[in-house]
Short mmCIF file of all heavy atoms in Angstrom, two decimals:
data_model
loop_
_atom_site.label_atom_id
_atom_site.label_comp_id
_atom_site.label_asym_id
_atom_site.label_seq_id
_atom_site.Cartn_x
_atom_site.Cartn_y
_atom_site.Cartn_z
N ILE Q 21 6.34 3.87 20.28
CA ILE Q 21 7.75 4.21 20.16
C ILE Q 21 7.96 5.72 20.03
O ILE Q 21 9.00 6.22 20.37
CB ILE Q 21 8.34 3.45 18.94
CG1 ILE Q 21 8.36 2.00 19.25
CG2 ILE Q 21 9.70 3.96 18.58
CD1 ILE Q 21 9.45 1.21 18.69
N GLY Q 22 6.97 6.39 19.47
CA GLY Q 22 7.08 7.83 19.30
C GLY Q 22 7.76 8.20 17.99
O GLY Q 22 8.29 9.30 17.84
N ARG Q 23 7.75 7.30 17.05
CA ARG Q 23 8.34 7.56 15.73
C ARG Q 23 7.32 7.21 14.67
O ARG Q 23 6.56 6.24 14.79
CB ARG Q 23 9.59 6.70 15.53
CG ARG Q 23 10.65 7.08 16.54
CD ARG Q 23 11.94 6.33 16.23
NE ARG Q 23 12.95 6.82 17.13
CZ ARG Q 23 13.64 6.03 17.94
NH1 ARG Q 23 13.41 4.76 17.97
NH2 ARG Q 23 14.57 6.55 18.71
N ASP Q 24 7.28 8.00 13.60
CA ASP Q 24 6.37 7.72 12.51
C ASP Q 24 6.85 6.56 11.68
O ASP Q 24 8.07 6.39 11.45
CB ASP Q 24 6.23 8.93 11.59
CG ASP Q 24 5.46 10.05 12.26
OD1 ASP Q 24 4.62 9.75 13.12
OD2 ASP Q 24 5.71 11.23 11.93
N VAL Q 25 5.91 5.75 11.24
CA VAL Q 25 6.24 4.66 10.33
C VAL Q 25 6.33 5.28 8.92
O VAL Q 25 5.44 6.01 8.52
CB VAL Q 25 5.15 3.57 10.39
CG1 VAL Q 25 5.45 2.48 9.39
CG2 VAL Q 25 5.03 3.00 11.76
N PRO Q 26 7.40 5.02 8.20
CA PRO Q 26 7.50 5.56 6.84
C PRO Q 26 6.37 5.07 5.94
O PRO Q 26 5.84 3.99 6.13
CB PRO Q 26 8.85 5.03 6.34
CG PRO Q 26 9.57 4.57 7.53
CD PRO Q 26 8.56 4.23 8.58
N PHE Q 27 6.02 5.86 4.95
CA PHE Q 27 5.04 5.55 3.92
C PHE Q 27 3.59 5.55 4.44
O PHE Q 27 2.73 4.96 3.83
CB PHE Q 27 5.33 4.20 3.22
CG PHE Q 27 6.70 4.10 2.69
CD1 PHE Q 27 7.61 3.21 3.21
CD2 PHE Q 27 7.14 4.95 1.68
CE1 PHE Q 27 8.89 3.11 2.73
CE2 PHE Q 27 8.42 4.85 1.18
CZ PHE Q 27 9.31 3.95 1.71
N GLY Q 28 3.35 6.22 5.57
CA GLY Q 28 1.98 6.44 6.04
C GLY Q 28 1.18 5.19 6.31
O GLY Q 28 1.64 4.29 6.99
N ILE Q 29 -0.04 5.16 5.78
CA ILE Q 29 -0.95 4.06 6.06
C ILE Q 29 -0.45 2.74 5.53
O ILE Q 29 -0.59 1.69 6.18
CB ILE Q 29 -2.35 4.42 5.50
CG1 ILE Q 29 -3.36 4.37 6.58
CG2 ILE Q 29 -2.79 3.57 4.39
CD1 ILE Q 29 -4.70 4.92 6.19
N ILE Q 30 0.17 2.74 4.35
CA ILE Q 30 0.73 1.51 3.80
C ILE Q 30 1.85 1.00 4.69
O ILE Q 30 1.96 -0.20 4.94
CB ILE Q 30 1.24 1.75 2.36
CG1 ILE Q 30 0.14 2.26 1.46
CG2 ILE Q 30 1.90 0.51 1.78
CD1 ILE Q 30 -1.02 1.31 1.25
N GLY Q 31 2.69 1.90 5.20
CA GLY Q 31 3.74 1.50 6.13
C GLY Q 31 3.19 0.94 7.41
O GLY Q 31 3.74 -0.03 7.97
N ASN Q 32 2.08 1.50 7.90
CA ASN Q 32 1.44 0.96 9.11
C ASN Q 32 0.93 -0.45 8.88
O ASN Q 32 1.09 -1.33 9.73
CB ASN Q 32 0.28 1.84 9.55
CG ASN Q 32 0.75 3.12 10.22
OD1 ASN Q 32 1.84 3.18 10.76
ND2 ASN Q 32 -0.07 4.13 10.15
N ILE Q 33 0.32 -0.68 7.72
CA ILE Q 33 -0.20 -2.02 7.41
C ILE Q 33 0.96 -3.00 7.29
O ILE Q 33 0.90 -4.11 7.86
CB ILE Q 33 -1.04 -1.98 6.13
CG1 ILE Q 33 -2.32 -1.18 6.38
CG2 ILE Q 33 -1.36 -3.38 5.64
CD1 ILE Q 33 -3.12 -0.89 5.12
N ILE Q 34 2.02 -2.62 6.62
CA ILE Q 34 3.19 -3.50 6.47
C ILE Q 34 3.82 -3.76 7.85
O ILE Q 34 4.15 -4.91 8.16
CB ILE Q 34 4.19 -2.88 5.50
CG1 ILE Q 34 3.63 -2.89 4.08
CG2 ILE Q 34 5.53 -3.65 5.55
CD1 ILE Q 34 4.43 -2.12 3.08
N ALA Q 35 3.95 -2.73 8.68
CA ALA Q 35 4.51 -2.91 10.01
C ALA Q 35 3.64 -3.83 10.84
O ALA Q 35 4.14 -4.65 11.59
CB ALA Q 35 4.67 -1.56 10.71
N GLY Q 36 2.33 -3.72 10.69
CA GLY Q 36 1.42 -4.62 11.41
C GLY Q 36 1.56 -6.07 10.99
O GLY Q 36 1.61 -6.96 11.82
N PHE Q 37 1.65 -6.30 9.68
CA PHE Q 37 1.78 -7.68 9.18
C PHE Q 37 3.15 -8.26 9.53
O PHE Q 37 3.25 -9.41 9.98
CB PHE Q 37 1.55 -7.73 7.67
CG PHE Q 37 0.11 -7.85 7.29
CD1 PHE Q 37 -0.63 -6.73 6.95
CD2 PHE Q 37 -0.50 -9.07 7.25
CE1 PHE Q 37 -1.95 -6.83 6.62
CE2 PHE Q 37 -1.82 -9.21 6.90
CZ PHE Q 37 -2.56 -8.07 6.59
N VAL Q 38 4.19 -7.49 9.34
CA VAL Q 38 5.55 -7.98 9.69
C VAL Q 38 5.66 -8.18 11.19
O VAL Q 38 6.22 -9.16 11.67
CB VAL Q 38 6.63 -7.02 9.16
CG1 VAL Q 38 8.00 -7.41 9.68
CG2 VAL Q 38 6.65 -7.03 7.64
N GLY Q 39 5.06 -7.25 11.95
CA GLY Q 39 5.07 -7.39 13.42
C GLY Q 39 4.30 -8.61 13.86
O GLY Q 39 4.75 -9.29 14.81
N ALA Q 40 3.19 -8.90 13.22
CA ALA Q 40 2.43 -10.11 13.57
C ALA Q 40 3.24 -11.38 13.28
O ALA Q 40 3.28 -12.30 14.08
CB ALA Q 40 1.13 -10.15 12.80
N TRP Q 41 3.92 -11.38 12.15
CA TRP Q 41 4.75 -12.52 11.80
C TRP Q 41 5.91 -12.68 12.81
O TRP Q 41 6.17 -13.74 13.33
CB TRP Q 41 5.28 -12.37 10.38
CG TRP Q 41 6.26 -13.42 10.02
CD1 TRP Q 41 6.02 -14.73 9.71
CD2 TRP Q 41 7.69 -13.26 9.97
NE1 TRP Q 41 7.19 -15.37 9.44
CE2 TRP Q 41 8.22 -14.50 9.60
CE3 TRP Q 41 8.54 -12.18 10.18
CZ2 TRP Q 41 9.58 -14.69 9.46
CZ3 TRP Q 41 9.89 -12.38 10.05
CH2 TRP Q 41 10.41 -13.61 9.68
N LEU Q 42 6.59 -11.53 13.04
CA LEU Q 42 7.74 -11.56 13.94
C LEU Q 42 7.31 -11.92 15.39
O LEU Q 42 7.96 -12.73 16.04
CB LEU Q 42 8.41 -10.18 13.94
CG LEU Q 42 9.71 -10.01 14.69
CD1 LEU Q 42 10.79 -10.90 14.07
CD2 LEU Q 42 10.14 -8.55 14.62
N GLY Q 43 6.23 -11.33 15.83
CA GLY Q 43 5.74 -11.63 17.19
C GLY Q 43 5.32 -13.06 17.37
O GLY Q 43 5.62 -13.67 18.40
N SER Q 44 4.63 -13.62 16.38
CA SER Q 44 4.21 -15.02 16.51
C SER Q 44 5.41 -15.97 16.39
O SER Q 44 5.42 -17.02 16.99
CB SER Q 44 3.17 -15.37 15.47
OG SER Q 44 3.70 -15.33 14.18
N LEU Q 45 6.41 -15.54 15.63
CA LEU Q 45 7.63 -16.35 15.51
C LEU Q 45 8.39 -16.40 16.84
O LEU Q 45 8.83 -17.47 17.27
CB LEU Q 45 8.52 -15.76 14.42
CG LEU Q 45 9.74 -16.56 13.99
CD1 LEU Q 45 9.30 -17.83 13.29
CD2 LEU Q 45 10.61 -15.72 13.08
N ILE Q 46 8.49 -15.28 17.49
CA ILE Q 46 9.25 -15.20 18.74
C ILE Q 46 8.42 -15.62 19.94
O ILE Q 46 8.89 -16.38 20.79
CB ILE Q 46 9.80 -13.77 18.94
CG1 ILE Q 46 10.79 -13.42 17.84
CG2 ILE Q 46 10.44 -13.59 20.30
CD1 ILE Q 46 11.22 -11.97 17.82
N LEU Q 47 7.20 -15.12 20.04
CA LEU Q 47 6.40 -15.30 21.26
C LEU Q 47 5.28 -16.33 21.14
O LEU Q 47 4.65 -16.67 22.14
CB LEU Q 47 5.78 -13.95 21.67
CG LEU Q 47 6.79 -12.82 21.92
CD1 LEU Q 47 6.05 -11.51 22.11
CD2 LEU Q 47 7.62 -13.15 23.16
N GLY Q 48 4.98 -16.78 19.94
CA GLY Q 48 3.88 -17.71 19.75
C GLY Q 48 2.56 -16.97 19.64
O GLY Q 48 2.52 -15.75 19.54
N ASN Q 49 1.48 -17.72 19.65
CA ASN Q 49 0.14 -17.13 19.53
C ASN Q 49 -0.61 -17.26 20.85
O ASN Q 49 -1.21 -18.27 21.13
CB ASN Q 49 -0.65 -17.84 18.41
CG ASN Q 49 -0.08 -17.57 17.06
OD1 ASN Q 49 0.40 -16.47 16.80
ND2 ASN Q 49 -0.10 -18.56 16.19
N TRP Q 50 -0.55 -16.24 21.67
CA TRP Q 50 -1.26 -16.23 22.94
C TRP Q 50 -1.96 -14.87 23.07
O TRP Q 50 -1.65 -13.93 22.40
CB TRP Q 50 -0.33 -16.51 24.13
CG TRP Q 50 0.87 -15.62 24.16
CD1 TRP Q 50 2.06 -15.81 23.53
CD2 TRP Q 50 1.00 -14.37 24.86
NE1 TRP Q 50 2.91 -14.78 23.79
CE2 TRP Q 50 2.31 -13.88 24.62
CE3 TRP Q 50 0.16 -13.65 25.68
CZ2 TRP Q 50 2.76 -12.69 25.15
CZ3 TRP Q 50 0.61 -12.47 26.21
CH2 TRP Q 50 1.91 -11.99 25.95
N GLY Q 51 -2.89 -14.83 23.96
CA GLY Q 51 -3.65 -13.60 24.16
C GLY Q 51 -4.83 -13.54 23.23
O GLY Q 51 -5.14 -14.47 22.49
N PRO Q 52 -5.53 -12.41 23.24
CA PRO Q 52 -6.71 -12.29 22.39
C PRO Q 52 -6.34 -12.31 20.90
O PRO Q 52 -5.31 -11.78 20.51
CB PRO Q 52 -7.29 -10.92 22.78
CG PRO Q 52 -6.21 -10.21 23.53
CD PRO Q 52 -5.27 -11.23 24.05
N VAL Q 53 -7.19 -12.94 20.12
CA VAL Q 53 -6.95 -13.06 18.67
C VAL Q 53 -8.10 -12.34 17.95
O VAL Q 53 -9.25 -12.57 18.21
CB VAL Q 53 -6.90 -14.53 18.25
CG1 VAL Q 53 -6.77 -14.66 16.74
CG2 VAL Q 53 -5.78 -15.25 18.95
N VAL Q 54 -7.71 -11.41 17.06
CA VAL Q 54 -8.67 -10.71 16.20
C VAL Q 54 -8.23 -10.85 14.77
O VAL Q 54 -7.08 -10.48 14.45
CB VAL Q 54 -8.75 -9.22 16.61
CG1 VAL Q 54 -9.69 -8.46 15.68
CG2 VAL Q 54 -9.16 -9.04 18.04
N SER Q 55 -9.08 -11.41 13.96
CA SER Q 55 -8.80 -11.58 12.52
C SER Q 55 -7.46 -12.26 12.29
O SER Q 55 -6.63 -11.81 11.50
CB SER Q 55 -8.85 -10.22 11.82
OG SER Q 55 -8.67 -10.35 10.45
N ASN Q 56 -7.22 -13.35 12.99
CA ASN Q 56 -6.00 -14.16 12.91
C ASN Q 56 -4.75 -13.44 13.38
O ASN Q 56 -3.63 -13.85 13.07
CB ASN Q 56 -5.80 -14.71 11.50
CG ASN Q 56 -6.87 -15.71 11.12
OD1 ASN Q 56 -7.37 -16.41 11.98
ND2 ASN Q 56 -7.18 -15.77 9.85
N PHE Q 57 -4.88 -12.32 14.09
CA PHE Q 57 -3.77 -11.63 14.70
C PHE Q 57 -3.84 -11.86 16.21
O PHE Q 57 -4.82 -11.45 16.84
CB PHE Q 57 -3.84 -10.10 14.45
CG PHE Q 57 -3.50 -9.69 13.06
CD1 PHE Q 57 -4.49 -9.50 12.12
CD2 PHE Q 57 -2.19 -9.44 12.71
CE1 PHE Q 57 -4.19 -9.11 10.83
CE2 PHE Q 57 -1.87 -9.04 11.42
CZ PHE Q 57 -2.87 -8.86 10.49
N ALA Q 58 -2.82 -12.48 16.79
CA ALA Q 58 -2.72 -12.53 18.25
C ALA Q 58 -2.22 -11.15 18.66
O ALA Q 58 -1.09 -10.76 18.35
CB ALA Q 58 -1.76 -13.62 18.68
N ILE Q 59 -3.07 -10.37 19.29
CA ILE Q 59 -2.85 -8.94 19.46
C ILE Q 59 -1.56 -8.62 20.21
O ILE Q 59 -0.76 -7.80 19.74
CB ILE Q 59 -4.06 -8.30 20.17
CG1 ILE Q 59 -5.32 -8.47 19.33
CG2 ILE Q 59 -3.80 -6.83 20.48
CD1 ILE Q 59 -5.26 -7.80 17.99
N ILE Q 60 -1.32 -9.24 21.34
CA ILE Q 60 -0.16 -8.87 22.16
C ILE Q 60 1.17 -9.24 21.48
O ILE Q 60 2.04 -8.37 21.34
CB ILE Q 60 -0.27 -9.49 23.56
CG1 ILE Q 60 -1.51 -8.90 24.27
CG2 ILE Q 60 0.98 -9.25 24.40
CD1 ILE Q 60 -1.90 -9.58 25.55
N PRO Q 61 1.36 -10.46 20.99
CA PRO Q 61 2.61 -10.74 20.27
C PRO Q 61 2.76 -9.91 19.00
O PRO Q 61 3.87 -9.49 18.66
CB PRO Q 61 2.52 -12.24 19.94
CG PRO Q 61 1.53 -12.80 20.87
CD PRO Q 61 0.58 -11.68 21.19
N SER Q 62 1.65 -9.64 18.32
CA SER Q 62 1.70 -8.82 17.09
C SER Q 62 2.15 -7.40 17.40
O SER Q 62 2.97 -6.83 16.69
CB SER Q 62 0.35 -8.78 16.41
OG SER Q 62 -0.02 -10.06 15.98
N LEU Q 63 1.63 -6.84 18.47
CA LEU Q 63 2.00 -5.49 18.86
C LEU Q 63 3.46 -5.43 19.29
O LEU Q 63 4.19 -4.52 18.90
CB LEU Q 63 1.08 -4.99 19.99
CG LEU Q 63 1.24 -3.53 20.39
CD1 LEU Q 63 1.05 -2.60 19.21
CD2 LEU Q 63 0.30 -3.18 21.51
N ILE Q 64 3.92 -6.39 20.06
CA ILE Q 64 5.32 -6.43 20.48
C ILE Q 64 6.23 -6.58 19.27
O ILE Q 64 7.24 -5.91 19.15
CB ILE Q 64 5.54 -7.54 21.53
CG1 ILE Q 64 4.81 -7.20 22.82
CG2 ILE Q 64 7.03 -7.75 21.80
CD1 ILE Q 64 4.76 -8.32 23.82
N GLY Q 65 5.86 -7.48 18.35
CA GLY Q 65 6.65 -7.66 17.13
C GLY Q 65 6.67 -6.41 16.29
O GLY Q 65 7.71 -6.05 15.71
N ALA Q 66 5.55 -5.71 16.18
CA ALA Q 66 5.50 -4.47 15.40
C ALA Q 66 6.35 -3.37 16.06
O ALA Q 66 6.99 -2.58 15.37
CB ALA Q 66 4.05 -4.01 15.24
N ILE Q 67 6.34 -3.31 17.37
CA ILE Q 67 7.17 -2.33 18.08
C ILE Q 67 8.65 -2.59 17.79
O ILE Q 67 9.40 -1.67 17.47
CB ILE Q 67 6.91 -2.37 19.60
CG1 ILE Q 67 5.52 -1.78 19.90
CG2 ILE Q 67 7.98 -1.64 20.39
CD1 ILE Q 67 5.06 -2.01 21.30
N VAL Q 68 9.06 -3.85 17.83
CA VAL Q 68 10.45 -4.21 17.52
C VAL Q 68 10.78 -3.85 16.06
O VAL Q 68 11.81 -3.26 15.78
CB VAL Q 68 10.70 -5.72 17.79
CG1 VAL Q 68 12.03 -6.18 17.23
CG2 VAL Q 68 10.59 -6.00 19.28
N PHE Q 69 9.87 -4.16 15.15
CA PHE Q 69 10.11 -3.89 13.74
C PHE Q 69 10.20 -2.38 13.47
O PHE Q 69 11.11 -1.95 12.76
CB PHE Q 69 8.96 -4.49 12.89
CG PHE Q 69 9.08 -4.20 11.44
CD1 PHE Q 69 10.09 -4.77 10.67
CD2 PHE Q 69 8.20 -3.35 10.82
CE1 PHE Q 69 10.20 -4.50 9.33
CE2 PHE Q 69 8.30 -3.07 9.47
CZ PHE Q 69 9.30 -3.64 8.72
N VAL Q 70 9.29 -1.60 14.04
CA VAL Q 70 9.33 -0.14 13.83
C VAL Q 70 10.60 0.45 14.44
O VAL Q 70 11.21 1.34 13.85
CB VAL Q 70 8.07 0.52 14.42
CG1 VAL Q 70 8.18 2.04 14.45
CG2 VAL Q 70 6.84 0.11 13.62
N PHE Q 71 11.01 -0.04 15.59
CA PHE Q 71 12.24 0.45 16.23
C PHE Q 71 13.45 0.15 15.36
O PHE Q 71 14.29 1.03 15.09
CB PHE Q 71 12.40 -0.19 17.62
CG PHE Q 71 13.62 0.28 18.33
CD1 PHE Q 71 13.71 1.55 18.85
CD2 PHE Q 71 14.71 -0.56 18.49
CE1 PHE Q 71 14.84 1.99 19.51
CE2 PHE Q 71 15.84 -0.14 19.14
CZ PHE Q 71 15.91 1.14 19.66
N ILE Q 72 13.55 -1.06 14.87
CA ILE Q 72 14.70 -1.43 14.01
C ILE Q 72 14.68 -0.64 12.72
O ILE Q 72 15.70 -0.15 12.25
CB ILE Q 72 14.71 -2.95 13.74
CG1 ILE Q 72 15.05 -3.71 15.03
CG2 ILE Q 72 15.70 -3.31 12.64
CD1 ILE Q 72 14.88 -5.21 14.95
N LEU Q 73 13.48 -0.50 12.13
CA LEU Q 73 13.34 0.28 10.90
C LEU Q 73 13.73 1.72 11.11
O LEU Q 73 14.41 2.31 10.26
CB LEU Q 73 11.91 0.17 10.38
CG LEU Q 73 11.60 0.80 9.04
CD1 LEU Q 73 12.41 0.08 7.95
CD2 LEU Q 73 10.14 0.72 8.75
N SER Q 74 13.36 2.30 12.23
CA SER Q 74 13.72 3.71 12.48
C SER Q 74 15.23 3.86 12.70
O SER Q 74 15.81 4.87 12.28
CB SER Q 74 12.95 4.25 13.67
OG SER Q 74 13.36 3.64 14.87
N LEU Q 75 15.86 2.88 13.31
CA LEU Q 75 17.31 2.94 13.47
C LEU Q 75 18.01 2.84 12.12
O LEU Q 75 18.98 3.58 11.86
CB LEU Q 75 17.80 1.82 14.38
CG LEU Q 75 17.49 1.94 15.86
CD1 LEU Q 75 18.00 0.69 16.61
CD2 LEU Q 75 18.07 3.18 16.45
N ILE Q 76 17.54 1.96 11.27
CA ILE Q 76 18.14 1.82 9.92
C ILE Q 76 17.95 3.09 9.12
O ILE Q 76 18.91 3.57 8.50
CB ILE Q 76 17.54 0.61 9.21
CG1 ILE Q 76 17.97 -0.69 9.88
CG2 ILE Q 76 17.92 0.59 7.72
CD1 ILE Q 76 17.25 -1.93 9.39
N LEU Q 77 16.75 3.63 9.12
CA LEU Q 77 16.49 4.82 8.34
C LEU Q 77 17.24 6.05 8.89
O LEU Q 77 17.65 6.90 8.13
CB LEU Q 77 14.99 5.11 8.25
CG LEU Q 77 14.20 4.11 7.44
CD1 LEU Q 77 12.72 4.44 7.48
CD2 LEU Q 77 14.69 4.07 6.02
N ARG Q 78 17.39 6.11 10.20
CA ARG Q 78 18.15 7.22 10.77
C ARG Q 78 19.62 7.11 10.39
O ARG Q 78 20.27 8.11 10.08
CB ARG Q 78 18.03 7.22 12.30
CG ARG Q 78 18.65 8.43 12.90
CD ARG Q 78 18.55 8.54 14.39
NE ARG Q 78 17.70 7.56 15.02
CZ ARG Q 78 17.62 7.39 16.30
NH1 ARG Q 78 18.37 8.11 17.11
NH2 ARG Q 78 16.80 6.50 16.83
N GLY Q 79 20.16 5.89 10.32
CA GLY Q 79 21.53 5.68 9.89
C GLY Q 79 21.77 6.05 8.44
O GLY Q 79 22.81 6.60 8.09
N THR Q 80 20.77 5.76 7.59
CA THR Q 80 20.94 6.13 6.18
C THR Q 80 20.81 7.61 5.94
O THR Q 80 21.39 8.16 5.03
CB THR Q 80 19.93 5.36 5.29
OG1 THR Q 80 18.61 5.71 5.70
CG2 THR Q 80 20.14 3.88 5.36
N ARG Q 81 20.04 8.31 6.76
CA ARG Q 81 19.91 9.76 6.63
C ARG Q 81 21.20 10.46 7.02
O ARG Q 81 21.55 11.48 6.45
CB ARG Q 81 18.74 10.29 7.48
CG ARG Q 81 17.41 9.91 6.93
CD ARG Q 81 16.30 10.49 7.74
NE ARG Q 81 15.05 9.85 7.37
CZ ARG Q 81 14.07 9.60 8.19
NH1 ARG Q 81 14.17 9.94 9.45
NH2 ARG Q 81 12.97 9.03 7.77
#
Side-chain angles (χ1 to χ4, degrees):
I21 292 213
R23 297 186 174 122
D24 289 332
V25 177
F27 308 113
I29 237 171
I30 302 297
N32 284 335
I33 293 171
I34 292 170
F37 275 95
V38 171
W41 173 76
L42 186 63
S44 67
L45 188 68
I46 296 171
L47 302 171
N49 292 324
W50 52 275
V53 176
V54 176
S55 184
N56 293 329
F57 286 94
I59 298 298
I60 296 170
S62 296
L63 186 58
I64 292 170
I67 289 170
V68 169
F69 177 70
V70 169
F71 180 72
I72 291 171
L73 186 63
S74 69
L75 288 178
I76 291 170
L77 291 178
R78 187 178 351 170
T80 60
R81 287 184 194 146

